[in-house]
């Protein structure tokens, strides 16, 4: 999605409204792909990204919005994100992990059985997602959010109607997110997976923030920063997928005594271990590249 077009002279209320509308548009555009299109995998992914970006916008502009004004909307965003997340996890396994592993084990019966099990789970996940997108609750959420944005309802309910302009908001938010990533981003290859997960979340939040406000700054510098940050986030995402996949594997296989399935489990666990070692080195390199560059807003 192209970044929202913001100008330095607008206030934070107007900036939030434009950003949130853009997130809502991204959600609804991909909704049709999930319901009626052919690339459901990408549609699910983009809907989930839209919801995460919307949640990030709520967080960035929380002083403008005040929490009591967004509690109900956030609950619905989290509900949708969880539903889409289950489909996304199985999508990654089916479309990325299994094809990479089976290159070296093309005729392994256990991997074939595992693939069939995963496809059944994927079909069920898509059925749940489509039921959610066809539900009254989902359409009520869309209507409520659209009305809330159009009428700028948070202005009526906030106790502090006057706030900084968008540039002040952007600088404060970017500095805070950048500091958070720097705090948890050191020694990525040696830290515990839970701490590395926190670094991935911090990178993702900084990327969303940078993309929201990139139109306020020279494009060459902001694009380079976002490109380096995206590389770091992608490598951290691969490491997170490895942890997610191992949990998913045990759910798929369960307590099965099928020797070929259990062999497939060990094959993927071993492949994950090799992939993790490679990804850790790439992550450290991406971190050094990212941290060596001056942030575009300074």
């Amino acid at each position: 999605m192209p970044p929202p077009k913001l100008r330095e002279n607008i206030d934070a209320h107007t900036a939030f409204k434009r950003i949130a509308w853009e997130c809502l548009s991204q959600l609804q555009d991909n909704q049709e792909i999930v319901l009626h299109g052919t690339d459901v995998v990408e549609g699910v992914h983009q809907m989930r990204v839209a919801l995460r970006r919307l949640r990030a916008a709520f967080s960035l502009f929380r002083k403008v919005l005040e929490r009591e004004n967004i509690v109900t909307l956030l609950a619905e965003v989290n509900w949708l994100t969880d539903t889409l997340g289950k489909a996304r996890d199985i999508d990654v396994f089916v479309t990325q992990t299994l094809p990479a592993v089976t290159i070296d084990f093309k005729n392994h019966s256990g991997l074939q059985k595992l693939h069939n099990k995963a496809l059944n789970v994927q079909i069920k996940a898509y059925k749940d997602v489509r039921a959610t997108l066809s539900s009254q609750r989902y359409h009520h959420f869309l209507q409520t959010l659209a009305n809330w944005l159009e009428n700028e309802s948070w202005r009526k309910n906030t106790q502090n109607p006057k706030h900084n302009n968008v540039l002040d908001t952007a600088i404060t938010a970017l500095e805070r997110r950048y500091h958070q990533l720097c705090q948890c981003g050191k020694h990525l290859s040696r830290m515990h997976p839970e701490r590395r997960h926190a670094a991935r979340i911090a990178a993702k939040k900084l990327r969303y923030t940078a993309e929201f406000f990139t139109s306020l700054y020279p494009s060459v510098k902001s694009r380079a920063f976002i490109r380096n940050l995206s590389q770091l986030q992608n490598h951290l995402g691969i490491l997170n997928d490895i942890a997610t996949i191992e949990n998913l594997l045990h759910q798929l296989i369960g307590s099965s005594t099928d020797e070929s399935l259990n062999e497939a489990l060990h094959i993927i666990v071993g492949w994950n271990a090799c992939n993790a070692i490679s990804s850790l080195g790439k992550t450290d390199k991406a971190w050094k590249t990212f941290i060596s560059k001056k942030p575009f807003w300074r």
Side-chain angles (χ1 to χ4, degrees):
M1 289 291 293
K5 294 182 180 179
L6 306 177
R7 297 191 306 274
E8 292 183 13
N9 61 344
I10 64 174
D11 63 16
H13 292 279
T14 304
F16 167 75
K17 183 176 179 179
R18 290 182 186 176
I19 290 169
W21 268 121
E22 191 264 337
C23 295
L24 182 56
S25 296
Q26 182 184 9
L27 182 72
Q28 291 184 287
D29 288 346
N30 287 281
Q31 163 195 311
E32 294 307 307
I33 295 174
V34 174
L35 288 173
H36 309 296
T38 55
D39 195 354
V40 181
V41 172
E42 184 63 15
V44 166
H45 174 57
Q46 291 299 326
M47 285 192 76
R48 194 160 171 246
V49 169
L51 289 166
R52 286 181 164 183
R53 293 176 74 235
L54 181 60
R55 189 163 56 191
F58 281 144
S59 177
L60 290 176
F61 291 92
R62 61 186 180 276
K63 290 184 179 180
V64 171
L65 303 173
E66 296 189 0
R67 182 165 178 78
E68 58 268 25
N69 294 325
I70 59 173
V71 169
T72 301
L73 289 170
L74 272 174
E76 297 303 273
V77 168
N78 291 335
W79 163 65
L80 286 167
T81 302
D82 288 344
T83 302
L84 291 162
K86 293 174 184 177
R88 179 60 184 168
D89 288 345
I90 193 67
D91 281 346
V92 170
F93 184 68
V94 169
T95 64
Q96 297 178 26
T97 305
L98 273 178
V101 174
T102 52
I103 289 174
D104 296 321
F105 301 90
K106 291 181 180 179
N107 298 315
H108 192 281
S109 61
L111 288 172
Q112 291 172 354
K113 291 175 185 177
L114 188 60
H115 182 253
N116 291 335
K117 283 179 173 287
L119 287 178
N120 288 333
V121 172
Q122 187 184 45
I123 290 169
K124 171 65 166 57
Y126 285 171
K127 183 178 179 181
D128 292 343
V129 167
R130 288 176 176 132
T132 295
L133 300 185
S134 301
S135 68
Q136 184 177 359
R137 179 178 177 180
Y138 174 68
H139 289 283
H140 177 71
F141 162 71
L142 293 180
Q143 184 177 20
T144 301
L145 178 58
N147 289 339
W148 187 73
L149 291 173
E150 181 62 29
N151 298 320
E152 301 184 6
S153 301
W154 65 90
R155 286 185 186 260
K156 303 171 186 176
N157 299 325
T158 184
Q159 297 179 4
N160 300 299
K162 292 185 179 180
H163 290 274
N164 294 336
N165 66 27
V166 67
L167 197 56
D168 293 332
T169 301
I171 292 170
T172 300
L174 287 164
E175 284 291 344
R176 184 174 72 251
R177 295 301 191 204
Y178 184 76
H179 177 73
Q180 288 170 347
L181 178 55
C182 290
Q183 286 293 101
C184 60
K186 299 175 183 177
H187 312 301
L188 286 170
S189 63
R190 299 196 297 274
M191 66 174 53
H192 190 276
E194 288 185 4
R195 289 192 60 199
R196 199 156 50 233
H197 175 68
R200 182 184 71 88
I201 297 298
K204 179 179 64 179
K205 289 180 177 180
L206 176 58
R207 180 180 174 182
Y208 291 159
T209 304
E211 289 174 343
F212 288 155
F213 297 122
T214 185
S215 61
L216 298 172
Y217 298 92
S219 60
V220 174
K221 291 183 178 180
S222 61
R223 279 202 303 264
F225 178 89
I226 292 171
R227 182 174 60 251
N228 291 333
L229 177 57
S230 298
Q231 287 291 328
L232 174 63
Q233 185 187 348
N234 288 341
H235 291 307
L236 288 169
I238 291 171
L239 291 168
N240 183 68
D241 288 342
I242 289 171
T244 301
I245 287 164
E246 293 197 11
N247 292 331
L248 182 60
L249 275 173
H250 290 287
Q251 293 174 24
L252 288 170
I253 296 176
S255 56
S256 174
T257 57
D258 187 313
E259 290 186 8
S260 64
L261 272 176
N262 283 300
E263 188 175 281
L265 169 66
H266 291 298
I267 288 172
I268 295 178
V269 168
W271 182 87
N272 268 348
C274 293
N275 194 23
I277 292 171
S278 172
S279 295
L280 284 171
K282 293 175 181 177
T283 301
D284 267 353
K285 184 177 179 181
W287 171 257
K288 290 175 183 176
T289 299
F290 168 74
I291 203 67
S292 68
K293 306 299 181 182
K294 183 179 178 181
F296 63 86
W297 62 89
R298 290 183 177 174

